[in-house]
Amino acid sequence: MAEVPFKSGFVNIIGKPNVGKSTLINLLMGEKLSIVTSKAQTTRHRIFGIWNDANVQIIFSDTPGIIQKPAYELQEKMNEFVKDSFHDADILLYLTELGDEKNPSEYLLNKINSSKVPILVLLNKVDNSKDSEQISQAVGILHEQFPNAEILPISALHGLNTDLIIPKIISLLPESPPYYDKDQFTTLSERFFVNECIREKILLHYKKEIPYSVEVVTESFKEEDNMIRIESVIYVERETQKGILIGHKGEKIQKVGTEARLDLENFFDSRIFLNLFVKVKKDWRSNDKDLKAFGYSNS
């Protein structure tokens, strides 16, 4: 009997902010790789998840939502991550949502249609539809916008039609040996996941500019016999933001720390000691040197 050829490749998930890209990659991976909140611009980096089967390896890449008019240097860097995803993709997976199909990003529309790799367009949040006719009309519009793509209506939140995504991707993947070890599920470090977990809690509990002015850096990650000891610094841009983040008698930052610790204990399957510090790094979102130090560089 002929040996089944091995297939592997990079499947890069792109789309506008807040359409469900992070929810989708977490669902497909069966692991929480990307933080998920209702706020736009939650994802700042490219998040890589490695899906393995007997003869297949899929490297998923979750990207920040494309920002039409970047307001500061950080958003410019986030857009660069999106642009990079067009260069190393074996398959492009474009995610849009029901109701927004008439307002595509012209940049993404042009880049996708000029791409030489297979395109899979996912129409997300169809569980919000009024009736099947609304979904049919949306699919028709997407077929006109992306004539070379296959369109699949889904609900990433509720798992509708999501079981069809992996088989479709496998059918489109090129024959190739695996890029990573078969027991590896991400290219990112433990410290990255600590940073993102803390930042998720801040996004959930603070309003206005605070969540977007925050960057988290884990300075110490020490594994002991029965515990992981972690020290992380939360950077803000203003002294006033520092006070808001800490809260009266430290109550707010303590809540962030407790919720992050519980999630991290589940993620690492270990007891966690988490120590948080808050520091000011003035205008870091517009400082190229700070952005590179925080990992916002594709060089």
Side-chain angles (χ1 to χ4, degrees), residues 1-5 55:
M1 189 167 63
E3 184 177 347
V4 178
N55 295 291

Side-chain angles (χ1 to χ4, degrees), residues 127-247:
D127 50 301
N128 294 331
S129 65
K130 301 173 185 176
D131 50 46
S132 59
E133 181 61 25
Q134 183 185 10
I135 298 173
S136 296
Q137 289 178 358
V139 169
I141 291 169
L142 290 171
H143 272 301
E144 292 177 3
Q145 293 173 350
F146 304 100
N148 299 319
E150 182 166 344
I151 317 296
L152 179 63
I154 68 161
S155 170
L157 183 62
H158 297 289
L160 178 66
N161 285 342
T162 54
D163 59 320
L164 304 176
I165 299 173
I166 294 286
K168 174 51 64 176
I169 288 171
I170 292 173
S171 73
L172 297 172
L173 278 176
E175 292 185 14
S176 169
Y179 288 87
Y180 299 97
D181 291 339
K182 294 297 292 292
D183 59 352
Q184 190 173 349
F185 79 98
T186 184
T187 61
L188 300 166
S189 69
E190 291 94 342
R191 295 187 187 212
F192 178 86
F193 287 103
V194 173
N195 298 343
E196 289 291 272
C197 182
I198 296 167
R199 196 167 65 84
E200 178 184 50
K201 305 311 174 190
I202 294 169
L203 279 158
L204 291 172
H205 290 300
Y206 296 84
K207 299 178 180 179
K208 298 181 180 178
E209 191 66 11
I210 295 293
Y212 302 104
S213 302
V214 160
E215 183 62 33
V216 183
V217 176
T218 295
E219 296 191 336
S220 177
F221 185 99
K222 296 180 180 178
E223 298 185 57
E224 300 179 355
D225 290 341
N226 61 349
M227 178 183 292
I228 303 174
R229 293 186 178 272
I230 301 171
E231 292 188 352
S232 301
V233 178
I234 302 170
Y235 288 98
V236 293
E237 292 189 308
R238 305 277 188 276
E239 284 289 343
T240 52
Q241 294 169 348
K242 179 178 178 180
I244 294 170
L245 191 65
I246 293 172

